[in-house]
Amino acid sequence: MPVVKGIDVLQKAHKGNYAVGAFNFNNMETLQAILEGASDLSAPVIVEASEGALAYAGVTTLVAMVTSLTAAYPIPVVLHLDHGKDFKVIMAALRAGFTSVMIDASFYPYEENVAQTKRVVDIAHAMDVSVEAELGKLKGIEDNVAVEERDATLINPKQAVDFISKTGIDYLAPAVGTSHGAFKYKGDSKIDFDRLREVKQLTGCPLVLHGASGVPRSLVEKAQKYGADLKGAKGVTDDVLKEAVSNGINKVNTDTDLRIATLGAIREVLTKQPDVIDPRKILGPAREAMKEVVKSRIQLLGSAGKA
Ligand code: G3H
Ligand code: 13P
Ligand code: ZN
């Protein structure tokens, strides 16, 4: 299928109470793993590239890969810009054919976030492209954190209503206690579910969970077995993620789990076969490992069979 608009798959997920997997990619192997995994499960999927991914691979290369590969898969695929911060990069993604963009101005004061987000929405909507934006700061929440500190970091549900009405965004990423990377929590995995429910109830908007990787023990242990330093790695458990979806999350971002799967697979090959020189023998197992991650995430999110 040709690439589709973000809001088309996320409005369906919002109405059907499930989440669509959004997976970060920089290269052909990762993109193939995502499309193969989603297609095996007949699931809609979002392939997302960060500003760093665009700098690494080139916007034209990424768009060409996605448009040519997706044509061969019978599933809806969205091409999304993840954490767009630089207006010029967002414009380049829009011009190149992305069907969804994130403007992340969450680190600015509220009024500035509104102004920057609205500027992108006005242009993107004129080009029939969907827009995601973020409110609050992505930081893990720990036990014994003062209410005032939590309020200063996480999303304010009433402000979310004002933000959506002033900007016209299509989906919102609320900061509810997750963070990026492999070291999300010192204690237990947790999300502020009361806050998440209130945002969903007040806004009635499709919601996005950033920093959602599970950092599964099996992947961490494999990478460690072959020499990786991942001491203290911890992610969002499967139960917490499922509860987040049942409380209104419709897009779940995963990058770190793909990275750890790649790391373990490559380290294993290089350790067991020090004489290997063929990159296909190094990257092929990584692609397989990433495909398994994609499939297990999609099963958790409830989007299998929704293509
Ligand atoms: O949210 C961040 C994503 O994991 C992308 O990371 O900026 O290193 O490509 P990156
Ligand atoms: P993880 O680091 O938990 O995979 O989060 C990825 C993400 O939010 C990309 O925007
Ligand atoms: Zn993110």
Side-chain angles (χ1 to χ4, degrees):
M1 282 174 73
V3 286
V4 300
K5 262 174 82 172
I7 192 61
D8 292 350
V9 302
L10 290 178
Q11 196 54 250
K12 269 177 143 178
H14 169 65
K15 293 211 171 96
N17 301 312
Y18 62 89
V20 177
F23 299 95
N24 288 73
F25 76 107
N26 298 287
N27 59 21
M28 181 195 78
E29 283 78 8
T30 310
L31 181 60
Q32 287 174 322
I34 300 166
L35 296 177
E36 282 288 319
S39 172
D40 279 5
L41 297 174
S42 291
V45 76
I46 298 168
V47 295
E48 56 185 21
S50 66
E51 289 190 347
L54 266 56
Y56 175 77
V59 65
T60 323
T61 305
L62 293 177
V63 173
M65 273 199 302
V66 171
T67 48
S68 61
L69 280 183
T70 52
Y73 290 91
I75 51 167
V77 179
V78 176
L79 174 55
H80 174 77
L81 174 70
D82 188 31
H83 292 284
K85 292 180 177 164
D86 180 338
F87 184 73
K88 284 201 188 106
V89 174
I90 298 172
M91 292 305 113
L94 287 172
R95 275 194 297 270
F98 279 61
T99 56
S100 173
V101 292
M102 177 182 189
I103 158 74
D104 180 2
S106 59
F107 43 91
Y108 287 109
Y110 179 67
E111 292 305 335
E112 178 67 16
N113 188 357
V114 169
Q116 287 202 22
T117 302
K118 179 155 172 33
R119 183 180 183 211
V120 169
V121 168
D122 288 347
I123 298 166
H125 281 182
M127 298 170 81
D128 211 22
V129 171
S130 315
V131 180
E132 171 184 334
E134 181 168 311
L135 258 191
K137 314 251 174 312
L138 277 197
K139 256 173 91 177
I141 48 168
E142 304 292 344
D143 286 332
N144 308 322
V145 167
V147 176
E148 302 80 54
E149 193 185 324
R150 214 173 250 229
D151 283 347
T153 306
L154 303 184
I155 191 167
N156 173 334
K158 292 189 183 65
Q159 197 174 56
V161 178
D162 183 68
F163 186 74
I164 292 168
S165 87
K166 283 184 174 152
T167 59
I169 55 162
D170 300 286
Y171 21 100
L172 174 71
V176 286
T178 57
S179 61
H180 292 117
F183 304 91
K184 298 185 191 300
Y185 305 102
K186 290 196 190 75
D188 290 341
S189 163
K190 59 173 73 69
I191 279 176
D192 189 333
F193 288 114
D194 291 340
R195 202 174 289 257
L196 173 59
R197 272 191 291 275
E198 200 183 344
V199 172
K200 189 70 172 188
Q201 199 215 326
L202 292 180
T203 65
C205 181
L207 299 179
V208 181
L209 190 66
H210 283 254
S213 273
V215 191
R217 280 316 316 154
S218 57
L219 294 182
V220 169
E221 280 167 10
K222 178 168 174 181
Q224 283 175 322
K225 181 174 168 190
Y226 296 106
D229 180 3
L230 286 170
K231 195 164 180 296
K234 195 174 275 184
V236 178
T237 62
D238 290 357
D239 287 346
V240 168
L241 184 60
K242 277 204 253 180
E243 204 174 332
V245 174
S246 67
N247 282 296
I249 291 293
N250 307 111
K251 172 177 180 273
V252 167
N253 285 12
T254 301
D255 187 359
T256 297
D257 286 354
L258 299 177
R259 293 180 179 194
I260 299 175
T262 299
L263 181 71
I266 290 179
R267 279 184 173 275
E268 181 179 24
V269 174
L270 297 182
T271 306
K272 288 185 173 166
Q273 302 171 62
D275 60 335
V276 78
I277 58 168
D278 181 345
R280 293 168 297 189
K281 298 207 166 93
I282 300 168
L283 297 176
R287 182 169 59 187
E288 277 311 302
M290 285 190 280
K291 181 176 164 186
E292 289 314 307
V293 168
V294 169
K295 287 173 81 166
S296 83
R297 303 293 282 169
I298 287 173
Q299 300 279 18
L300 273 177
L301 305 184
S303 53
K306 306 286 189 190

